[in-house]
Amino acid sequence: MLCMSGVNDFVVRFANVNGTGSASANYLFAKSIFRMGVPVSAKNIFPSNIQGLPTWYEVRVSEKGYLGRKEGIDLMVSVNPQSIKKDISSVKTGGYFLYDSTKKLHDEFLREDIHMIGVPLMEICNREFIDPRQKQLFKNIVYVGAIAKLLNIDVTVISDLFADQFKGKEKLIAPNMKALGLGSDYIRDNYNFPLEFRVERRNLVGDAIMIDGNAAAGLGAVYGGASVVAWYPITPSTSLVSSFEDYARKLRIDPITGKNNFSIVQAEDELSAIGMAIGANWNGARSFTATSGPGLSLMSEFLGLAYYAEIPVVLVDVQRAGPSTGMPTRSQQSDLISAAYASHGDTKHVLLIPSTPTECFQMMTDSFYYAEQLQTPVIMMTDLDLGMNEHMTEPFKWDDNRKYKRGKVLSEGDLEVIKDWGRYKDIDDDGIPYRTLPATHPSKGSYFTRGSSHDEYAAYSEDSATYVRIMDRLVKKLETAKKLIPGPDFYNTTDLSETGLIYFGTSKHATEEAIDILKLEGETVDAMRIKSFPFNNRVKEFIDSHKKNICN
């Protein structure tokens, strides 16, 4: 049997049953490694039903800071009989398979090329705990204690995490520590430890935090000045709006009246949700909605309205696997084309594409600024992996002196001075007209908001020359957008190879690790990470400067 080795460099996968409380225990394991100063990434792979089907939680530990998924499992913790055949086959030769040995493992599941570690989890819990629910929940903590012993994880780190988790409910700490000790003691008494691969303390995470992208975006919406969100629940975007509400209830309560300075409306469907968000922005609020692929499809017509009527609105598309309903709890980056050109006709939208929770926060705060400066929809493209999984990321930064810039919005005084104002006139030759908010002036500044063909004064028109002028101006506005939104990041500052690699979103982690692997093998690849659309000239220059370009 091959000998495994790898201090702070291995993959652990947990195989559980959905709805048994295992995710909290598994996250406890991942967070304890993070607290020991070692970079870690965790992926919760769960079904779209509420309870009963197999679920997996995969943790990659990488001293080098590689956060993408890696092929091969070093340690499988299997507590789900439904998936045991698949789980045991996924362990690398020389790896370890930890299972509940309360019942004897059938001979067909045995492998001679891996190490089998049996821990009678259910037997231990039946002996030590009385309440049926506690037996199930503490079984998860028992296996955390077992692998903590196997991997040399400092138990004081886990006890500190319990103290944080159960603050105000301190009576829960003792039984959890008991369950943790039961697993640890069983390994101590029955197996050699630690394993060849294990955790050692480092100081490699600095001031990094662990947070999911949906929570980061929800906080970003609060800091970005959003006061209205209209939404319809859809996986995996639902927790984004929940996070916005949680943060708003802490940060957006009027200190004098105690009333909310925000509004959350759950609409009857995605069409209503984006319609309400557009209406709120038209009235002067910063408003947004969040959805996923099927919802984006339904919102396309309203996105066309906002584009042509030139009303700012922000949409977050937390992408999932399609087409159609697809797989609601699986990650994919498949909505880019449908989002960029949502709606019929000559329509093109501004997209922001973050790769980390920190970028989710920053781009969300900026999205409201871009939408109001450009008077157009801005769509932030995340995905389930980024949105719902905890990621190690840089701490968020915010300048308290930052002012909310509302773009070209005319005041009552402006309207008194201006003699010839047209809602869709381009005065500054940047494609962006001036707008007014309702009730700004008692008699001036009103206009018809039209999704139908119109002239510079918002009057209905079917004149072809007028239509061409308006459409050409919208194209000019997108040229202005290219100068405003973030440009790409480059892996190399100078061209070093004939091949260019283009990537975006959560493919960042796997792509940049692959580039480093190629470098060790003597192969150099130039790379560019796309962060927004429409693309600026630097994207074209990168593509033109390479004989071959590969899009990841």
Side-chain angles (χ1 to χ4, degrees):
M1 189 179 297
L2 295 176
C3 180
M4 304 288 293
S5 64
V7 174
N8 298 334
D9 184 17
F10 55 87
V11 176
V12 178
R13 179 183 287 177
F14 301 86
N16 303 102
V17 179
N18 197 36
T20 58
S22 58
S24 296
N26 299 339
Y27 177 64
L28 177 73
F29 166 75
K31 193 66 176 289
S32 66
I33 296 172
F34 177 74
R35 286 280 184 94
M36 290 181 68
V38 181
V40 64
S41 64
K43 310 295 182 186
N44 192 13
I45 307 163
F46 59 99
S48 58
N49 74 331
I50 296 174
Q51 187 168 331
L53 288 182
T55 182
W56 294 270
Y57 192 95
E58 189 170 303
V59 178
R60 181 175 184 187
V61 181
S62 172
E63 189 166 289
K64 295 181 179 179
Y66 295 130
L67 303 180
R69 293 184 69 186
K70 180 182 179 182
E71 185 179 9
I73 307 301
D74 297 299
L75 170 61
M76 171 66 74
V77 180
S78 176
V79 289
N80 185 2
Q82 295 180 66
S83 62
I84 192 169
K85 185 175 183 179
K86 178 179 179 180
D87 295 331
I88 202 166
S89 66
S90 66
V91 180
K92 293 164 58 175
T93 296
Y96 291 79
F97 185 79
L98 189 154
Y99 64 98
D100 186 351
S101 61
T102 301
K103 293 183 178 180
K104 186 177 182 296
L105 193 64
H106 197 280
D107 290 345
E108 68 173 299
F109 298 128
L110 299 178
R111 282 178 55 186
E112 294 184 356
D113 63 331
I114 64 175
H115 304 274
M116 310 296 289
I117 301 178
V119 180
L121 301 171
M122 205 67 249
E123 179 185 314
I124 292 172
C125 291
N126 285 337
R127 183 181 69 239
E128 299 291 339
F129 302 103
I130 299 174
D131 182 81
R133 179 61 175 164
Q134 280 191 341
K135 292 178 182 180
Q136 177 58 58
L137 293 174
F138 287 136
K139 182 173 76 171
N140 303 324
I141 304 301
V142 171
Y143 70 64
V144 170
I147 58 176
K149 194 71 170 179
L150 289 168
L151 299 177
N152 202 38
I153 296 174
D154 188 346
V155 71
T156 61
V157 173
I158 302 178
S159 65
D160 289 343
L161 287 169
F162 281 143
D164 293 343
Q165 181 179 353
F166 299 119
K167 190 173 183 179
K169 301 178 182 178
E170 281 74 13
K171 65 179 181 179
L172 297 176
I173 296 176
N176 276 276
M177 287 299 297
K178 175 184 176 180
L180 190 76
L182 290 169
S184 176
D185 291 346
Y186 189 86
I187 295 297
R188 180 198 63 199
D189 296 338
N190 293 277
Y191 292 97
N192 293 324
F193 62 90
L195 303 181
E196 294 87 351
F197 60 92
R198 60 193 181 278
V199 181
E200 289 185 1
R201 277 190 178 272
R202 296 287 189 268
N203 187 20
L204 300 173
V205 302
D207 58 355
I209 60 175
M210 288 190 74
I211 190 172
D212 63 81
N214 281 354
L219 182 62
V222 174
Y223 273 76
S227 57
V228 177
V229 56
W231 70 303
Y232 183 77
I234 180 172
T235 302
S237 71
T238 300
S239 62
L240 193 158
V241 178
S242 300
S243 295
F244 172 80
E245 180 177 7
D246 291 342
Y247 289 124
R249 291 196 181 281
K250 294 177 182 178
L251 303 172
R252 284 287 182 81
I253 305 298
D254 189 290
I256 298 175
T257 65
K259 293 182 178 181
N260 295 341
N261 285 329
F262 63 95
S263 177
I264 299 175
V265 183
Q266 181 173 328
E268 62 267 31
D269 54 33
E270 287 89 351
L271 282 168
S272 299
I274 194 163
M276 293 175 184
I278 291 170
N281 276 283
W282 180 83
N283 272 284
R286 282 188 162 181
S287 178
F288 76 100
T289 188
T291 192
S292 192
L296 175 70
S297 298
L298 292 171
M299 293 178 178
S300 291
E301 184 177 358
F302 263 130
L303 285 168
L305 168 67
Y307 174 82
Y308 198 36
E310 301 183 66
I311 303 170
V313 68
V314 172
L315 165 64
V316 183
D317 178 13
V318 189
Q319 300 167 88
R320 70 190 204 188
S324 187
T325 306
M327 292 187 287
T329 60
R330 295 294 184 267
S331 193
Q332 210 172 65
Q333 294 179 310
S334 55
D335 298 352
L336 290 177
I337 298 299
S338 54
Y341 301 99
S343 188
H344 53 282
D346 191 7
T347 309
K348 188 183 292 185
H349 299 295
V350 173
L351 309 182
L352 302 177
I353 312 173
S355 294
T356 66
T358 301
E359 289 186 347
C360 286
F361 172 81
Q362 191 60 58
M363 288 186 178
M364 193 66 184
T365 64
D366 293 340
S367 63
F368 299 98
Y369 166 73
Y370 297 140
E372 291 193 323
Q373 292 295 308
L374 298 167
Q375 298 177 33
T376 197
V378 172
I379 308 174
M380 189 168 81
M381 308 294 294
T382 72
D383 57 27
L384 184 146
D385 177 30
L386 179 54
M388 295 191 70
N389 286 320
E390 299 269 353
H391 291 255
M392 192 179 84
T393 191
E394 296 176 0
F396 307 154
K397 296 179 181 178
W398 181 258
D399 182 0
D400 287 332
N401 295 317
R402 178 171 172 173
K403 305 295 183 183
Y404 295 125
K405 297 179 180 179
R406 306 304 302 270
K408 296 182 179 182
V409 180
L410 297 176
S411 66
E412 181 178 2
D414 294 330
L415 290 168
E416 288 287 356
V417 174
I418 298 172
K419 296 181 179 180
D420 181 31
W421 173 71
R423 170 63 184 95
Y424 298 113
K425 290 178 68 175
D426 182 10
I427 304 299
D428 302 319
D429 197 33
D430 58 4
I432 305 171
Y434 285 81
R435 65 185 177 118
T436 62
L437 300 178
T440 297
H441 192 283
S443 60
K444 298 180 180 181
S446 60
Y447 62 94
F448 286 107
T449 303
R450 292 191 181 275
S452 54
S453 183
H454 50 260
D455 66 11
E456 286 79 359
Y457 294 91
Y460 180 72
S461 172
E462 294 186 6
D463 177 66
S464 59
T466 301
Y467 174 78
V468 169
R469 284 200 311 272
I470 296 296
M471 294 304 297
D472 284 346
R473 180 179 58 75
L474 290 173
V475 172
K476 183 186 293 184
K477 180 195 289 190
L478 289 173
E479 291 300 313
T480 300
K482 293 178 183 179
K483 304 172 186 176
L484 188 65
I485 59 180
D489 281 348
F490 297 93
Y491 194 83
N492 291 318
T493 55
T494 57
D495 294 337
L496 299 176
S497 70
E498 295 182 348
T499 301
L501 188 59
I502 302 171
Y503 61 105
F504 55 90
T506 49
S507 61
K508 163 186 168 68
H509 307 297
T511 301
E512 294 181 357
E513 182 177 358
I515 293 170
D516 286 351
I517 292 172
L518 288 171
K519 186 181 293 184
L520 291 174
E521 296 175 353
E523 296 286 339
T524 301
V525 178
D526 297 331
M528 172 179 63
R529 178 164 70 95
I530 300 294
K531 298 170 69 175
S532 66
F533 176 86
F535 306 137
N536 63 24
N537 290 335
R538 297 183 72 194
V539 174
K540 183 177 184 303
E541 290 169 0
F542 179 88
I543 294 171
D544 290 344
S545 66
H546 295 89
K547 289 186 176 181
K548 180 171 66 174
N549 288 282
I550 302 171
C551 187
N552 184 9

